[in-house]
Amino acid sequence: MTSETLWYANRATGAVCLVLFTVVVLLGIAVRLRGRLPGLPRFGTVSLHRTLSLSATAFLALHIAVAVIDGYVDITALDVLVPFRSAYQPLWLGLGTVALDLMLAVLVTSLLRERVGHRAWRAVHRLAYASWPVALVHGLGIGTDTGADWMTWLTVACVTAVAAAVGSRLAHSARAARRTPAAVLRTAEGARP
């Protein structure tokens, strides 16, 4: 493979990762809100979330492999796992490494969910909320297509979708928190003789 082919492959897999991980975050929020996609039962949304998570992870592995294989810049396997040590754009590449490390923690605990327990799994799974924006900033800082119109619109669409979903999730949590004390009070009042 030529260096130019690897460069295009790296750009393409980076853009695909942005889209796939955005959809994964959106589906994860839908699952948490007990939402369904039209035409799918709830377990279908969960299954789609898991399947797309693995697909996104595969594209991420391809994105990283292409970056390491490409001889144009020197990115080592250690640079992939240890943040901010690369000689090539250490800040931007380091942010990608941080996002990868967070996603690896989510992936490993998801695969070992039965062994680590639901509470520990959920706590680690929340790292996905941190890894998505860190990966986004990585792409904005290091991506060669950042200034291109198509990439700007793609990024704006992804950020808008995730912001709306997170806003919906926070609003749902706030409503649930307001209802909980009232429900406890009604239950306690109903139990009085």
Side-chain angles (χ1 to χ4, degrees):
M1 249 189 226
T2 68
S3 184
E4 185 176 343
T5 303
L6 291 171
W7 181 65
Y8 280 116
N10 198 10
R11 292 169 57 200
T13 55
V16 170
C17 282
L18 172 62
V19 171
L20 286 176
F21 279 113
T22 297
V23 174
V24 166
V25 168
L26 297 175
L27 287 170
I29 292 171
V31 166
R32 182 69 182 133
L33 295 176
R34 305 205 186 296
R36 300 180 22 192
L37 295 177
L40 279 180
R42 185 169 182 281
F43 72 84
T45 306
V46 172
S47 179
L48 185 59
H49 173 67
R50 287 180 186 157
T51 302
L52 281 179
S53 296
L54 292 175
S55 298
T57 303
F59 265 93
L60 180 59
L62 184 60
H63 176 68
I64 293 166
V66 168
V68 170
I69 292 168
D70 188 359
Y72 184 73
V73 294
D74 186 28
I75 300 173
T76 67
L78 192 57
D79 296 335
V80 170
L81 297 172
V82 180
F84 310 112
R85 68 165 303 281
S86 174
Y88 176 73
Q89 298 199 23
L91 173 63
W92 303 121
L93 192 63
L95 289 172
T97 301
V98 168
L100 171 66
D101 292 345
L102 293 171
M103 285 310 303
L104 286 175
V106 171
L107 176 67
V108 168
T109 56
S110 292
L111 294 174
L112 300 173
R113 185 176 176 176
E114 298 297 322
R115 291 192 175 160
V116 299
H118 185 74
R119 179 174 273 163
W121 169 81
R122 182 170 303 285
V124 174
H125 207 78
R126 287 188 177 124
L127 293 175
Y129 285 113
S131 68
W132 186 87
V134 171
L136 177 74
V137 173
H138 155 77
L140 290 173
I142 205 168
T144 55
D145 290 317
T146 297
D149 287 345
W150 69 270
M151 191 62 189
T152 300
W153 285 109
L154 179 65
T155 303
V156 167
C158 290
V159 168
T160 302
V162 169
V166 168
S168 175
R169 170 77 174 93
L170 293 174
H172 182 269
S173 294
R175 282 190 306 271
R178 283 192 306 265
R179 279 192 308 260
T180 302
V184 169
L185 182 59
R186 280 192 304 272
T187 303
E189 287 175 353
R192 289 184 198 166

